[in-house]
Structures are given as C-alpha cells and as structure tokens.
Amino acid sequence: DSGPYDGCDITCGPGNMLLVDPRNGGAWYCIRAGPMYCPGKFNTECSCEGGPAECPIGDCECGEQLRVSHDCKTAKYCNADMDGFQNITCEAANEIVYVNLDSHTWRCAEDDGRCPGAFHAGCQEDGTTTTTTTTTTTGKGNQ
C-alpha cells in the first residue's frame, strides 16, 4: 500500500526518528531519537535564479528555524527567543554550507554539486493525516 502520498515514504519505529539529509539522493534513514535531533518539518523552496536580492533567504518565522539559501552559500539559524539569528556565509567560490542536522552544526566546505536548493526546517506543527476508505455493497436484499 503506497498510502495517501505521491512518491516514497519511510516510517521509523518507536524510539527512532527520521534523519533527513537532502544531499544524499533520497536515501534517508532512521536513527535513535534524542532530545535535540528533530529540527521540525523540512520544506524545500521553488528554484530561483539570481543573487541574494532576487532570491532572499527569508525571515525568521519562529525560534530555532533553520534556513538555507538557494545556492547553499548562506544559512541562517533563528534564535529560540526570536531576538535575532546566527548566520554563516561561504565566501570562497568553490564552497557551500554543509548543515549536519544530527549534530546541529554547520561549516563551509567544497561544493560537490549536490546543493538541493533553498530549504528551511522548523515552525510547522505536526499535522495529522486521516485516510478514509468507503466500501459500498450492492446486491439484492430480502424482499
């Protein structure tokens, strides 16, 4: 059963959670859940051509939100109390920001051509999805 979603999905068992790395070609996997692991829902943005003026990284929408620019050259982490943010910008032409969602660290490193484009994590509540199946029976009943 493919469920109510397009594409593929993965469900982690009790005590585990999904580790998302948009750079690993879709081979996401489950890890042991920890107190600081889950950054919130993960959202990719529409593609954008241009520099920071044409493709802004976006504003903080909530505390502890992570935002990465379309070219992976800049990342922003919004402070928990919304009084500002921390950012990192990779100035070297051949470097992009690498974000480790497991250890909550970031660094500039050589661009290997796998920038997934702009994305952000956090701020959205976990919703619930309900799937309803209706069965209709036809036939002659007692008359």
Side-chain angles (χ1 to χ4, degrees):
D1 183 16
S2 63
Y5 311 104
D6 291 334
C8 57
D9 67 350
I10 183 172
T11 301
C12 299
N16 293 302
M17 62 179 284
L18 181 65
L19 177 63
V20 177
D21 181 352
R23 298 174 30 81
N24 71 2
W28 301 347
Y29 52 94
C30 297
I31 61 171
R32 292 297 285 159
M36 298 299 293
Y37 288 133
C38 185
K41 288 193 176 181
F42 188 89
N43 301 280
T44 56
E45 305 291 340
C46 295
S47 65
C48 185
E49 298 290 326
E54 297 83 15
C55 308
I57 193 168
D59 297 322
C60 292
E61 298 171 328
C62 69
E64 300 181 343
Q65 182 182 36
L66 171 69
R67 302 185 75 90
V68 176
S69 65
H70 73 289
D71 59 2
C72 297
K73 300 290 279 179
T74 302
K76 175 192 290 189
Y77 182 76
C78 306
N79 294 345
D81 56 10
M82 291 292 289
D83 68 348
F85 57 88
Q86 302 166 41
N87 68 346
I88 182 174
T89 299
C90 301
E91 300 292 341
N94 68 333
E95 289 187 338
I96 60 171
V97 177
Y98 282 73
V99 177
N100 185 326
L101 296 175
D102 187 21
S103 65
H104 290 215
T105 59
W106 56 19
R107 64 187 170 91
C108 291
E110 187 173 348
D111 182 357
D112 61 2
R114 293 188 300 152
C115 174
F119 66 91
H120 65 274
C123 296
Q124 293 174 300
E125 294 293 322
D126 284 338
T128 56
T129 302
T130 304
T131 302
T132 305
T133 303
T134 304
T135 305
T136 304
T137 312
T138 60
K140 296 189 178 198
N142 293 343
Q143 295 182 1

